[in-house]
Amino acid sequence: IFAMKKDLVAQVMGNFQSSALRVEGVQMSPLAVFNAVSYDEMTDGKGTIVLDIGAEHTDLVFIDGGRVWLRTINIGGNNFTDSLSKSFKVSFAKAEQLKRTAATSKYAKQIFQAMRPVFADLVAEIQRSKGFYDSSHRDSKLDRIIGMGNPFKLPNLQKYIQQEMKMEVVRLENLKKIQVDGKLAPGLHEHILALGGALGLALQGLDSATIDTNLLPMDIARQMLWRQKQ
C-alpha cells in the first residue's frame, strides 16, 4: 500500500496544468528509483539499501528478498550547503559553489569538517531505519548500499558511510541495460547520479516497471479515461 498527501499531489499537478501539459501518472520518487534499480539489476541479487540523496530529502529504499520498504529522511544536499554557509560565513550561493568544487579545492579538509555533523546526522538516520527494518524482518540480510544523488560527488561521503555502516557502499557509475549512444552518452555519465527517479518514471511510461502503481487523482484519471473512450 502506497499513499501521498493530496495537497502535495495537487501542487505538483498544478505546475503541469498551468503549462497545459497532460499528466499521465503520478509516482513516488523512491518507487521510481526502485523501478530503475530493479530493471537494471543493480542489486546483483544482494539485500540492498538504495540511498538517493536529493536537494531537500533523502529516499531510502530497502530491497530484500522480494520485499520493498521505503522511508524518506528530511536531510538533503541543501543541509550540506547550509552547514558550509554557517561555518565559512558566506552566502548560500557561495557555499553551494564550495560544495560543488570540494573534491578539487585546496580547502577540501576544512570543507569536509564543516559538513561532518550533517554526515553524522544522515548516517544516524540510516542506522535507525535499518535497525527498525531488521527488527521487523528477522530474516533480513542487507549486504550493501547503493549511493545515488549529486551529494555522492562529495569527497569522503561514500567512505564515511561505509565506515560508519560497516557495509559495502557502491556509487552508481553506469547502467547495464540502458545505453545511450552518440553525443548524449557523456551527458548521461556526467549526470547519472541524479537520474534514478527520472529513469524509473521513463521505464514506467514504457510499461517496463516492476511496480506500476499510479497515484494520479481519481477525478483526473476518470476524465482521461473518458477522453480516451471518446
Side-chain angles (χ1 to χ4, degrees):
I1 298 174
F2 304 110
M4 291 175 71
K5 292 182 178 179
K6 287 184 178 180
D7 57 346
L8 179 58
V9 175
Q11 177 186 339
V12 173
M13 292 289 294
N15 294 333
F16 291 103
Q17 289 168 333
S18 64
S19 301
L21 291 171
R22 188 176 71 188
V23 177
E24 295 283 347
V26 176
Q27 183 58 283
M28 300 167 64
S29 59
L31 283 182
V33 168
F34 166 77
N35 282 331
V37 171
S38 176
Y39 180 86
D40 207 57
E41 300 175 353
M42 297 182 197
T43 65
D44 293 329
K46 298 178 180 179
T48 301
I49 301 173
V50 181
L51 185 64
D52 185 24
I53 307 176
E56 296 181 354
H57 65 266
T58 295
D59 289 329
L60 285 175
V61 185
F62 288 62
I63 305 170
D64 173 36
R67 289 188 293 252
V68 182
W69 186 82
L70 315 173
R71 188 190 171 207
T72 297
I73 300 170
N74 291 322
I75 297 175
N78 288 349
N79 294 91
F80 294 104
T81 308
D82 283 334
S83 181
L84 288 175
S85 177
K86 292 174 183 175
S87 180
F88 287 92
K89 295 181 174 57
V90 296
S91 67
F92 186 90
K94 180 65 176 178
E96 183 70 18
Q97 183 64 22
L98 281 173
K99 185 179 74 174
R100 291 177 182 273
T101 59
T104 56
S105 173
K106 62 181 180 180
Y107 302 110
K109 186 176 180 180
Q110 291 92 327
I111 292 172
F112 172 72
Q113 289 299 328
M115 294 189 294
R116 193 180 181 93
V118 184
F119 283 19
D121 289 343
L122 178 63
V123 167
E125 289 297 329
I126 300 170
Q127 289 172 331
R128 186 176 294 115
S129 301
K130 183 177 181 297
F132 175 81
Y133 181 84
D134 288 341
S135 66
S136 304
H137 304 89
R138 299 292 184 181
D139 59 338
S140 69
K141 185 170 175 56
L142 298 166
D143 299 309
R144 69 197 312 219
I145 294 172
I146 295 177
M148 294 185 184
N150 283 332
F152 266 96
K153 294 178 180 179
L154 290 170
N156 298 317
L157 178 58
Q158 180 179 355
K159 182 180 178 181
Y160 181 85
I161 294 175
Q162 184 163 288
Q163 288 177 340
E164 296 298 314
M165 293 298 299
K166 296 179 173 55
M167 295 174 67
E168 176 192 14
V169 178
V170 295
R171 194 176 75 167
L172 181 62
E173 300 283 356
N174 50 56
L175 301 170
K176 302 172 186 174
K177 297 173 65 177
I178 302 172
Q179 295 183 352
V180 175
D181 299 321
K183 295 180 180 179
L184 294 176
L188 175 65
H189 186 265
E190 180 183 355
H191 299 291
I192 194 170
L193 280 170
L195 291 177
L199 289 170
L201 288 173
L203 288 164
Q204 185 167 348
L206 294 169
D207 295 324
S208 297
T210 304
I211 296 177
D212 62 353
T213 52
N214 189 345
L215 296 172
L216 191 71
M218 189 60 67
D219 57 334
I220 296 175
R222 287 197 187 102
Q223 292 171 16
M224 289 176 56
L225 181 62
W226 181 242
R227 281 197 297 268
Q228 290 169 2
K229 287 184 176 181
Q230 287 178 316

